[in-house]
Amino acid sequence: MKKRILAELLGTFAIVFFGCGSIATLAGQPSAHVAVNLVFGLVVTSMIYALGPISAAHFNPAVTVAFALARRFPWRNVPGYIAGQILGAILACTALKVIIPELARACSFGATVARIPADRAVLSEGITTFFLMFVIMSVATDRSANSPIPGVAIGGMVMLGGLMEGPLTGNSLNPARSLAPAIFSGGEPLASVWIYILGPVLGAIGAAVAFEALRTLAEDAHSAPADIGRI
């Protein structure tokens, strides 16, 4: 179990370090919006291929909770996974503070802040996370999914969500990704971090429930990780 938690820590570290780091280093450039979302999509894809065989590559507390509610992940392992994810995000922000302190502070460590009213931001985060989690459920809990597909499908969904939703909410979809920068920057990001907890969690849970209801072959279903029962 310790190796799985470490994998979650490393994967979440990479997502926040490269994703939020790109927000800091590319700020002000004409291509920043597209480039930042490309970075987030690619780092998610890369970490899924690198660490998916170890932990199933949740890298997101909302995903872990949704898997557990869908009975595809044991509740007893949820606290460890979430602790690893949050610690990984905090360590990533710490690294950014050390390496690019001025740039990191200038962009609030890549914190997500809604540019639309809070209720609409929760809805937007929820809908986008719904489709992300729906894709995750499809490729991570179904034996009929082709093995090369998960990283590309999930990373692509992260990138697509960011291209559309980024200007509205920052396209978090991940409580750990928003919580760590909010802790480091304080102020408005910290005051509104609840949006990026509530929206993604509700969206992910809704997707997990919906996919289980639509699943056609129950015998093809498995947990994420598939061998989690042996822990």
Side-chain angles (χ1 to χ4, degrees):
M1 185 61 185
K2 290 180 180 178
K3 291 182 179 180
R4 296 185 194 271
I5 294 173
L6 180 59
E8 288 295 300
L9 185 154
L10 290 173
T12 312
F13 178 100
I15 291 168
V16 174
F17 180 78
F18 289 105
C20 293
S22 69
I23 294 174
T25 58
L26 297 173
Q29 296 189 20
S31 61
H33 176 56
V34 173
V36 166
N37 286 294
L38 183 62
V39 169
F40 270 108
L42 287 175
V43 70
V44 168
T45 298
S46 300
M47 290 301 101
I48 288 171
Y49 289 128
L51 298 170
I54 301 172
S55 70
H58 295 194
F59 309 147
N60 183 334
V63 170
T64 298
V65 169
F67 273 142
L69 281 171
R71 299 182 180 179
R72 300 298 169 197
F73 187 75
W75 277 107
R76 67 180 183 275
N77 295 332
V78 168
Y81 261 52
I82 292 179
Q85 293 154 3
I86 292 175
L87 180 57
I90 289 173
L91 290 175
C93 286
T94 301
L96 292 176
K97 184 177 181 179
V98 172
I99 298 168
I100 49 171
E102 295 83 6
L103 292 176
R105 283 194 294 268
C107 74
S108 300
F109 293 86
T112 47
V113 177
R115 296 175 177 84
I116 56 178
D119 56 344
R120 284 191 271 161
V122 170
L123 181 60
S124 182
E125 284 284 316
I127 290 174
T128 309
T129 308
F130 176 95
F131 285 102
L132 173 63
M133 187 67 198
F134 199 86
V135 170
I136 292 172
M137 287 291 294
S138 174
V139 300
T141 69
D142 200 303
R143 292 185 178 88
S144 63
N146 294 326
S147 57
I149 289 177
V152 174
I154 296 169
M157 192 65 227
V158 170
M159 184 173 65
L160 287 174
L163 290 173
M164 178 271 175
E165 192 191 38
L168 305 178
T169 68
N171 190 55
S172 172
L173 318 182
N174 185 335
R177 175 260 179 270
S178 285
L179 179 61
I183 290 172
F184 276 73
S185 60
E188 185 180 359
L190 189 58
S192 62
V193 74
W194 65 272
I195 293 171
Y196 303 99
I197 297 173
L198 182 61
V201 168
L202 291 179
I205 290 172
V209 172
F211 187 84
E212 290 295 338
L214 292 172
R215 193 189 294 275
T216 53
L217 296 174
E219 59 268 25
D220 284 339
H222 62 76
S223 299
D227 65 344
I228 197 72
R230 296 207 300 268
I231 292 179

